[in-house]
Amino acid sequence: MRDLLKKIRKEPVWILVAVLGCIIYFLFDSHIIKPDINGNLTTGESTYGDLPFHLATVSRMAYTGTLPPENPLFSGIPLVYPFFINFLSAVIVIWGFSLRSSIIFPGMIFSILMIISLYFFYKKLTGRKSVAFLGTLLFFLNGGLGFYYFLKDVALKGKLENFITNPGAYPDYSHLFGQNIQWCNFLSRILIPERSVLLGIPMGISILYILFLKEKEDKKNLDWWFILAAVLTGLLPLSHTHTFIVFSLLIPFLAFFELRISNWKEWLKRWSIFGAITLVVAVPQLRLIFFHLNTSSTFFKYHIGWMSNPGILEFTMFWWKNTGVLIPLLISSLFFIKTYKLLTRLVWFSFFVFTIINLFIFQPFDWDNVKFLFWFAIIAYGAIAFLLVKLWQSKIFFGKILAAILVASLTLSSLLSIYREMNVSYQLFSKEEVDLGSWVRENTPFDSLFLTEFTHRSFASNLGGRKILMGYQGSLWVHGIKYGDRERDIKNIYLGASDAMNLLYKYDVDYVVIGPGERNVLKASEDFFIENFCLVKATTNYRIYSVKCGIE
């Protein structure tokens, strides 16, 4: 054990943990409802849209004990989003930590686990520390050709100093909507807002390591590691659904290469047991997912080119701008990794994943196909790192220079994106809304239903842990939820229409919030609520009415 620890300490992975870990901590600290000097809670750009959803899920489970949680944006339907990472955060809140800490603590732990597991995965695949180091770095610093537009529009026009002092005035150069660059940097735009990847990627790497990289003393007998891999695979649907879908194809694909005429009985027994254990664990989660799919808008459709414009040239330019030299390098790597059979098989599978996401859309929001690209990227950067290390170590004239240029082209956009993300901040909740969230949590029954504007950031749900009738329409569309009828009813309620009272009965609303959004967007008739219901809380900008008080 002592010798093993000495070996581990000598690994360059700790340089990655130190450098990437510091960046990740800075982003978590600045993005997760950080209080400013006035008591407002702030966030970053990448988390402005998604963080409130996670806060609502964590708050609901922690403050009310509701499990499995309802959808925090639309009361009355189960939450199908992979919520296991948020469940861990809810447990941390129950232990007495703050909502902010409950997001940061597991986020940092699993981010570091991701760095370490990815490094040792690459090292086991290739036997090279240099490949493991570079592959891990490339994965976290991925980027396309956004840096070209930075050079053209900023650096070459003398605006570099302005970008340094005011990066928020410029776009994210790893995610340029105007240029249709959609595959954004993982570290700055994905890791923190897309919380389920914190579990999905380390779990996926662990499964692959146990099943196909770990030495087996006796292949005829099952071991506890094999059973653990089956259980972990079974837990993937609500840990990271996209990883489960990918692994449902990847594991059988890799297992097939273990089949021999001489061992087919043992092979069949082994993988049948694996499949049975996986299904026993996964089926309850899959039932929840399939129920949602049957009652929601289309999640699966045929569509060529993911988010590229129609046409072969447009498709080619789309992927060239989004990935740069990645795909040419990946194809070239196949000529150099022939002796590494598992890595070669993984690369061929990555091409399959890439093909599938260019033929089908798996969610209402096209962009969400990017969640399948994580595994394409994990495999691709391992193979590309091998090729670049070979190039660096070769005797080819200018080999080291060319390798450095290629690495720079793969990472420059990410560095611009990370710098910008570290220096952009938005207010998520005012001090008034923070206090209202505490009041809701302490003064209303845990199963209360609140009526609010159509927003993704509601103090009642995000900070108070209470149900809201309906949130932001865009977020509901992404989840495939049909909301049209309820949206119309809520508008009528706030207008004080003739059927408003009946609609409040229909939805069993307990409290109605009237604030800036309800007044300005929904044109709330405050006289209607004053005449019919009890005012239970009033602040500078908000009024909360108890519906049941007025009815009783």
Side-chain angles (χ1 to χ4, degrees):
M1 178 62 76
R2 187 173 296 177
D3 292 339
L4 178 62
L5 291 174
K6 285 182 179 179
K7 289 181 180 179
I8 293 175
R9 283 200 296 267
K10 293 179 180 179
E11 295 286 345
V13 66
W14 304 114
I15 299 174
L16 292 170
V17 169
V19 175
L20 296 178
C22 286
I23 296 172
I24 292 169
Y25 176 75
F26 185 94
L27 290 173
F28 268 111
D29 177 65
S30 62
H31 283 52
I32 308 301
I33 49 174
K34 185 172 185 176
D36 65 16
I37 58 174
N38 298 313
N40 307 309
L41 299 182
T42 63
T43 189
E45 183 174 277
S46 67
T47 47
Y48 185 82
D50 286 354
L51 180 59
F53 173 84
H54 296 296
L55 293 174
T57 306
V58 174
S59 298
R60 184 70 183 154
M61 288 188 283
Y63 299 142
T64 70
T66 304
L67 190 71
E70 289 185 23
N71 191 300
L73 301 171
F74 202 79
S75 67
I77 65 172
L79 176 64
V80 180
Y81 182 90
F83 64 83
F84 283 172
I85 185 66
N86 286 335
F87 172 74
L88 293 178
S89 293
V91 171
I92 293 173
V93 173
I94 292 171
W95 286 346
F97 291 89
S98 67
L99 197 56
R100 170 174 157 83
S101 298
S102 77
I103 302 289
I104 295 176
F105 286 171
M108 283 303 304
I109 290 170
F110 285 106
S111 294
I112 291 172
L113 282 176
M114 191 185 301
I115 296 169
I116 295 172
S117 63
L118 197 56
Y119 172 88
F120 284 106
F121 176 65
Y122 287 145
K123 185 185 176 186
K124 191 69 174 178
L125 275 174
T126 65
R128 300 188 177 205
K129 293 180 181 180
S130 54
V131 172
F133 185 92
L134 180 58
T136 305
L137 194 66
L138 290 175
F139 175 74
F140 280 93
L141 301 184
N142 73 292
L145 297 184
F147 69 89
Y148 163 78
Y149 298 98
F150 171 80
L151 294 173
K152 182 170 71 78
D153 299 335
V154 179
L156 297 180
K157 292 186 177 180
K159 300 179 181 179
L160 184 59
E161 183 178 352
N162 190 44
F163 173 81
I164 294 172
T165 57
N166 187 25
Y170 296 86
D172 176 1
Y173 285 97
S174 79
H175 198 184
L176 287 172
F177 293 96
Q179 302 298 333
N180 203 15
I181 296 180
Q182 302 292 344
W183 190 11
C184 52
N185 175 245
F186 180 81
L187 197 156
S188 66
R189 308 294 294 189
I190 300 292
L191 182 64
I192 300 177
E194 301 288 344
R195 296 196 75 218
S196 59
V197 301
L198 293 167
L199 284 181
I201 291 177
M203 287 173 68
I205 292 172
S206 299
I207 292 164
L208 289 177
Y209 182 88
I210 293 170
L211 294 179
F212 304 106
L213 288 169
K214 184 179 181 295
E215 289 81 3
K216 304 176 182 67
E217 295 181 2
D218 185 355
K219 292 187 178 181
K220 292 184 180 181
N221 297 317
L222 295 173
D223 56 28
W224 288 107
W225 286 107
F226 186 80
I227 295 172
L228 174 61
V231 172
L232 288 175
T233 306
L235 289 172
L236 281 174
L238 289 182
S239 296
H240 191 237
T241 311
H242 293 78
T243 294
F244 179 77
I245 295 172
V246 171
F247 274 50
S248 296
L249 301 172
L250 176 58
I251 292 175
F253 172 75
L254 295 178
F256 173 77
F257 291 96
E258 295 182 351
L259 178 61
R260 302 289 184 274
I261 295 176
S262 60
N263 75 343
W264 72 269
K265 289 183 179 179
E266 291 81 6
W267 181 90
L268 183 61
K269 174 185 174 183
R270 180 181 181 84
W271 288 107
S272 294
I273 293 174
F274 179 89
I277 295 171
T278 298
L279 286 175
V280 166
V281 179
V283 162
Q285 304 164 65
L286 294 174
R287 287 181 62 188
L288 182 65
I289 293 172
F290 286 130
F291 173 80
H292 176 64
L293 294 179
N294 289 332
T295 58
S296 62
S297 57
T298 303
F299 265 70
F300 181 83
K301 61 183 178 182
Y302 176 71
H303 180 81
I304 296 178
W306 186 30
M307 298 187 74
S308 69
N309 294 320
I312 295 176
L313 178 61
E314 289 77 6
F315 175 82
T316 304
M317 289 304 300
F318 170 79
W319 281 110
W320 171 244
K321 289 190 293 183
N322 274 269
T323 62
V325 296
L326 184 150
I327 294 175
L329 288 177
L330 182 58
I331 295 171
S332 301
S333 73
L334 285 169
F335 297 98
F336 295 87
I337 61 173
K338 291 178 180 179
T339 57
Y340 298 86
K341 292 182 179 180
L342 181 57
L343 180 56
T344 301
R345 293 165 187 167
L346 286 170
V347 169
W348 283 114
F349 183 82
S350 75
F351 287 131
F352 170 74
V353 172
F354 182 79
T355 302
I356 290 299
I357 68 104
N358 278 291
L359 291 177
F360 301 99
I361 299 296
F362 291 86
Q363 303 88 0
F365 185 25
D366 295 5
W367 183 84
D368 278 342
N369 262 20
V370 77
K371 297 171 184 177
F372 290 106
L373 284 172
F374 300 154
W375 287 102
F376 168 77
I378 286 172
I379 297 168
Y381 284 121
I384 289 171
F386 185 92
L387 176 61
L388 291 173
V389 168
K390 277 277 193 182
L391 181 60
W392 179 270
Q393 296 173 345
S394 71
K395 297 180 181 180
I396 299 175
F397 186 62
F398 287 136
K400 287 183 171 58
I401 296 175
L402 179 58
I405 291 172
L406 291 172
V407 169
S409 73
L410 290 167
T411 58
L412 278 176
S413 297
S414 73
L415 299 178
L416 296 169
S417 175
I418 292 167
Y419 176 76
R420 180 182 181 278
E421 193 65 35
M422 293 173 71
N423 290 279
V424 175
S425 178
Y426 299 101
Q427 179 177 301
L428 191 60
F429 297 105
S430 66
K431 175 65 165 59
E432 180 182 13
E433 291 167 331
V434 173
D435 292 340
L436 281 170
S438 298
W439 182 89
V440 166
R441 191 169 64 249
E442 295 167 3
N443 293 277
T444 63
F446 75 89
D447 60 347
S448 299
L449 176 61
F450 278 71
L451 182 66
T452 69
E453 64 168 315
F454 307 126
T455 180
H456 74 297
R457 37 164 239 96
S458 164
F459 61 80
S461 62
N462 303 156
L463 304 177
R466 300 301 183 257
K467 298 179 291 183
I468 61 171
L469 189 56
M470 178 177 159
Y472 174 54
Q473 298 97 322
S475 300
L476 297 172
W477 168 71
V478 167
H479 286 259
I481 297 171
K482 300 174 182 177
Y483 58 83
D485 292 343
R486 189 173 294 192
E487 177 185 27
R488 182 186 61 250
D489 290 344
I490 289 174
K491 289 178 178 179
N492 286 338
I493 291 173
Y494 272 112
L495 289 172
S498 58
D499 59 347
M501 294 296 287
N502 290 332
L503 291 172
L504 288 167
Y505 275 117
K506 171 185 173 181
Y507 291 109
D508 198 23
V509 173
D510 295 291
Y511 296 92
V512 176
V513 175
I514 296 183
E518 289 81 6
R519 295 187 186 97
N520 299 329
V521 178
L522 297 178
K523 309 300 180 184
S525 172
E526 294 198 56
D527 290 340
F528 169 76
F529 293 98
I530 293 171
E531 293 172 4
N532 292 284
F533 309 111
C534 300
L535 179 66
V536 294
K537 182 65 176 177
T539 63
T540 303
N541 295 294
Y542 288 91
R543 301 289 186 270
I544 300 178
Y545 293 90
S546 171
V547 176
K548 301 297 173 63
C549 168
I551 293 175
E552 294 171 356

